[in-house]
Amino acid sequence: MITNKDRLFNLSTKRSTYLFAVTETGHLEHLYWGRRLNKDISIDSFAEKRSLNIGGGTAYDSDHPTLFLSNLALEYSTTGKGDYRESSIDVEYQKGLRTLDFTLQSFRILKGKPRLFGGLVESYGEADQCTTLELTLKEKLLPLRLLLTYTTFEDSDVITRRATLHNDGQESVVIRNLASAQVDLEGNWDLITFDGAWGRERHVNRKEIKPGIYINDSKSGVSSADHNPAIFLINEEDECLGFNLVYSGNHRELIERSPFGKTRVMTGINPSGFSWTLTGGERFQTPEAVMTFSARGLEGASQNFHTFINHHIIRGPWKFRERPILINNWEATYFNFTEDKLLKLARESAALGIELFVLDDGWFGVRNDDTTSLGDWTVNPKKLPSGLGALSDRIKKMGMLFGLWVEPEMVSIESELYKNHPDWMIAIPGRNPSVGRNQYILDLTREDVRRYLFTTLSKTWKLADVNYIKWDMNRIFSDLYSLNAEMSNHGEFLHRYILGLYELLTKLVTEFPAVLFESCASGGNRFDLGMHCFMPQTWTSDNTDALSRLYIQEGTSYAYPLSTMGAHVSSAPNHQTLRRSELESRFNVAAFGVLGYELDITTLNHQQKETIKAQVAFYKAHRSILQYGSFTRIKLANSDSNQVVWAVASKDKSEILVLFAQKLNPVNPGGDILRVQSVDTNATYEVFPRQQKIDIKMFGDLLNMVSPVHITEGGIAQETMSKALSFDSEVEHYRVSGEQIAYGGIKLNQQFGGTGYDAMTRVLGDFGSRIYLFKRID
Ligand code: DGJ
């Protein structure tokens, strides 16, 4: 709901209110963003008091000697009129002049949401789901018009924002910065960011915001694993603000605490390295910023984001549709596979109930390692003599869907594509280009490059009749340069690249409406809302180790729902960490996401295959909750706690699945307590763990305590027994009220601690875990 009364704009959602007012000078003063206010608003009580001078400050003008923009909470700020904080807009005109002053000219309130232009992607909502406010501000002297657009989404307590700059004059100006949103806040806040690198994406970092500037950004051309564009601010009252950006390129979130204790938060395209020449009559629009408020802390704010993403970002036939369990051949074979090997892998996977076979890297050109063939999207007849179409046919006859890996944005020097079009590769004439994973990036700002990719990819995908595409991107940008004549200013390059990528993806998803796309960039180097406008899911990380995944999936879950997170069970020792963890535990963690398997199933023994079969059946039975349920983090991986507890609940709370994982096996521990607040406190639940298999190898030579024959650790007898035999996990079962679960918790069976073992003993070991089921029985 958006209303205007005199000077006041009120943007309210179900549980939040956002207020600003127009000052006597036409500036927009931010007043409030917090819990929903339902009574009449007094502007006076929220507005900055300004009867006195600010020592050392610069007043707006002589007619307003006590108006100091440096201590006004503003909706959008400029440089040169007394606000010395970072500004939202920076435009260079006439010989480097930068002073700007925008004041309100007019506004309109509309049902629904007008579309973005210029190739950006955005959230969507029907006229009854959202309302838009469009403010037109005019520069005092220059022919520049600034449109600030706000859209409120009732269902998720989200407000989205964007800015559009129109050059109504004849002369060109250069945009150095145009933020998507700015909010100036009162009070003390902690900042939460999601930082990392390849293999350890989106780890949670929390810090107190002190005077000065903090920047969370990316300069590599992708939204990045280094610093995700999602951030949260949280205060002592557990009120939480969340920000994200619908964009896949360089972003910047700037947080500045002013000398007067105000905190400015800004998000948008990273101004570092960016400049855009706006000629007369042209306009430039920013990506859409997504903002939420919750009085229920991080849990509330992240649930708002989950609802928003599932309802207003993900689109197409896979929206809210259960995603298939896949088998991916990458870690099973890497580049070294034959048609027979793939068919065997598919056949055995199908027998376990797996639904989608994904052929990863190495099927095209002459690609037997990562040095060649990117760009040549035609099948390698040596590896796949019957061709892609025949392979896909045979796999589909097994009752599976067929998926294919591609990395279209790239080119290898050793490729037909490079031979024929060396100028399509991004490189600066005369300079030796920098390289990543032996590969280079194609210039997607060029229409001819995009046309080639569309034609080649469409042909191959049709040939293989694909149901799923994994769109990979394994290096980041360097040597920015383009022959594209549209571009007079190379500061535009990275933004134009993203627009080119979005245009290509728009054409492809339109041509292949039924295909499920999964975004990937060396794992999670481009986990963002821009890519999610095309691709309902993203490969969360190349690191599939169960312990590492507790941190990575937990960090990712703050801003993104489980339905977006690809999570695979891989082999042990893990290929990234060399850590050994139990097959059941790898599953338990991967089940809190979109499940897949990425290991050579053909080499597993009967016990292991039976275990996977049971896992797949369990996941299918609870998939709608595991992908679309309401997710809460109870004990955090990213804390000193040895235990990690997550819960995901059905909408009506009739069924809840709870992950209990431990980092290391404690010796002689006290009792573990399972306390879950997301239950219905008026109901009664049946609570029990998913039955797991315990590999007898876990017990090492302790088996000799019960075995009639001597068993040597690592010996043939142990191996043979482990193939034929496993123990069932503990028997544990409760009928208990929701209020007991929520207010006291369930004291679980004792863990194995070297003092004995019986049918009740919980044997978890290092990196061990369980999934508990909570079923409402009345
Ligand atoms: C990086 C991806 O993250 C992996 O899953 C795999 O697809 C490789 N690329 C293939 O080169």
Side-chain angles (χ1 to χ4, degrees), residues 330 360-361 367 405 437 470 472 474 520 522-523 539 542:
W330 178 240
D360 210 281
D361 197 351
R367 189 157 163 98
W405 176 98
R437 206 198 187 198
K470 176 175 173 188
D472 205 346
N474 285 305
C520 173
S522 305
W539 181 221
D542 276 351

Side-chain angles (χ1 to χ4, degrees), residues 500-777:
L501 172 66
Y502 288 165
E503 189 206 272
L504 174 62
L505 290 175
T506 305
K507 283 200 176 135
L508 287 168
V509 299
T510 311
E511 186 76 5
F512 296 90
V515 166
L516 171 63
F517 284 83
E518 178 155 347
S519 169
C520 173
S522 305
N525 208 19
R526 210 160 53 179
F527 204 118
D528 60 64
L529 298 182
M531 293 309 282
H532 281 135
C533 285
F534 302 101
M535 313 204 180
Q537 55 196 61
T538 296
W539 181 221
T540 312
S541 173
D542 276 351
N543 186 348
T544 44
D545 169 66
L547 177 68
S548 306
R549 277 294 184 128
L550 289 172
Y551 292 85
I552 297 169
Q553 289 175 213
E554 178 175 290
T556 309
S557 78
Y558 282 87
Y560 304 93
L562 300 190
S563 62
T564 60
M565 271 189 245
H568 297 178
V569 174
S570 59
S571 63
N574 175 269
H575 291 194
Q576 291 75 40
T577 59
L578 299 182
R579 205 173 353 247
R580 281 179 194 277
S581 58
E582 292 302 305
L583 179 56
E584 293 282 37
S585 209
R586 282 173 263 152
F587 166 77
N588 289 344
V589 179
F592 280 70
V594 178
L595 179 69
Y597 286 81
E598 191 170 334
L599 74 172
D600 190 353
I601 282 179
T602 65
T603 60
L604 299 183
N605 65 40
H606 178 69
Q607 286 288 327
Q608 291 164 323
K609 284 186 191 160
E610 286 303 302
T611 301
I612 292 184
K613 202 173 183 177
Q615 294 174 348
V616 166
F618 177 88
Y619 187 81
K620 283 181 183 168
H622 304 282
R623 170 161 44 191
S624 66
I625 301 177
L626 288 164
Q627 294 181 353
Y628 294 106
S630 147
F631 179 73
T632 44
R633 296 159 294 263
I634 299 171
K635 285 190 183 176
L636 302 181
N638 191 61
S639 72
D640 293 338
S641 165
N642 186 46
Q643 295 171 356
V644 181
V645 182
W646 301 338
V648 64
S650 63
K651 214 171 173 191
D652 61 359
K653 298 184 174 187
S654 61
E655 196 169 324
I656 303 172
L657 285 100
V658 178
L659 174 76
F660 176 101
Q662 66 184 13
K663 295 175 186 169
L664 293 176
N665 196 27
V667 179
N668 202 6
D672 295 330
I673 296 174
L674 201 57
R675 185 172 168 188
V676 177
Q677 263 141 355
S678 47
V679 290
D680 174 354
T681 46
N682 293 317
T684 304
Y685 287 86
E686 209 180 350
V687 180
F688 52 92
R690 176 179 82 84
Q691 270 292 295
Q692 295 186 190
K693 293 289 176 201
I694 301 172
D695 187 341
I696 58 159
K697 281 205 268 183
M698 266 190 92
F699 292 93
D701 65 6
L702 271 180
L703 278 181
N704 289 314
M705 309 278 287
V706 290
S707 169
V709 290
H710 184 79
I711 293 166
T712 311
E713 164 63 1
I716 293 179
Q718 190 196 43
E719 198 54 45
T720 317
M721 273 180 81
S722 147
K723 280 183 190 156
L725 199 76
S726 58
F727 295 148
D728 285 331
S729 57
E730 70 280 3
V731 178
E732 193 164 13
H733 195 274
Y734 305 91
R735 285 173 80 100
V736 57
S737 71
E739 56 178 14
Q740 251 185 281
I741 299 169
Y743 307 148
I746 298 171
K747 208 165 257 182
L748 296 170
N749 284 4
Q750 285 172 285
Q751 275 208 48
F752 181 84
T755 55
Y757 172 72
D758 62 13
M760 317 279 278
T761 314
R762 292 164 63 234
V763 181
L764 272 77
D766 289 350
F767 331 120
S769 59
R770 292 285 182 276
I771 292 178
Y772 291 91
L773 270 108
F774 290 56
K775 279 184 185 264
R776 188 162 63 197
I777 45 179

Side-chain angles (χ1 to χ4, degrees), residues 414-427:
E414 215 179 296
S415 68
E416 290 305 311
L417 184 68
Y418 182 73
K419 259 187 235 152
N420 297 332
H421 298 284
D423 61 317
W424 284 9
M425 174 179 123
I426 301 174

Side-chain angles (χ1 to χ4, degrees), residues 148-350:
L148 300 183
T149 312
Y150 300 70
T151 301
T152 53
F153 289 83
E154 292 292 326
D155 57 359
S156 44
D157 290 315
V158 158
I159 300 176
T160 67
R161 286 185 57 178
R162 59 194 199 238
T164 313
L165 186 68
H166 291 249
N167 182 354
D168 295 329
Q170 310 280 320
E171 302 292 312
S172 294
V173 296
V174 178
I175 304 172
R176 302 270 178 210
N177 180 29
L178 194 68
S180 298
Q182 169 190 316
V183 186
D184 284 351
L185 306 161
E186 295 291 353
N188 297 322
W189 298 90
D190 278 5
L191 170 67
I192 294 164
T193 56
F194 304 93
D195 313 292
W198 175 84
R200 53 182 166 84
E201 294 91 341
R202 291 171 297 286
H203 282 222
V204 185
N205 279 304
R206 180 171 178 156
K207 47 209 145 272
E208 190 185 338
I209 300 172
K210 297 268 178 87
I213 293 180
Y214 185 88
I215 286 175
N216 180 71
D217 79 348
S218 132
K219 295 191 266 290
S220 54
V222 294
S223 50
S224 95
D226 306 9
H227 309 289
N228 193 267
I231 61 166
F232 293 88
L233 273 78
I234 186 155
N235 66 13
E236 275 182 346
E237 285 75 40
D238 215 23
E239 292 171 327
C240 186
L241 309 172
F243 297 82
N244 206 340
L245 200 62
V246 189
Y247 194 57
S248 309
N250 284 353
H251 60 92
R252 180 185 73 164
E253 292 67 50
L254 181 137
I255 295 90
E256 176 171 11
R257 187 160 166 100
S258 82
F260 309 108
K262 287 189 170 59
T263 299
R264 173 162 291 177
V265 185
M266 230 187 271
T267 177
I269 294 177
N270 197 344
S272 171
F274 170 83
S275 54
W276 189 277
T277 304
L278 197 65
T279 53
E282 278 190 338
R283 57 187 177 164
F284 180 87
Q285 194 162 56
T286 69
E288 184 179 27
V290 178
M291 320 193 308
T292 192
F293 165 85
S294 175
R296 293 189 303 114
L298 272 165
E299 287 304 318
S302 67
Q303 275 172 14
N304 290 350
F305 274 165
H306 294 178
T307 307
F308 179 76
I309 293 168
N310 276 328
H311 283 88
H312 303 293
I313 291 285
I314 307 298
R315 58 206 73 191
W318 287 97
K319 176 177 175 167
F320 283 115
R321 179 149 152 220
E322 292 187 15
R323 311 284 168 69
I325 303 173
L326 65 81
I327 172 80
N328 179 305
N329 76 308
W330 178 240
E331 288 199 1
T333 65
Y334 292 106
F335 295 103
N336 187 16
F337 56 81
T338 60
E339 209 166 83
D340 284 350
K341 175 74 198 180
L342 297 179
L343 288 169
K344 188 160 184 240
L345 186 59
R347 202 173 304 114
E348 296 200 12
S349 303

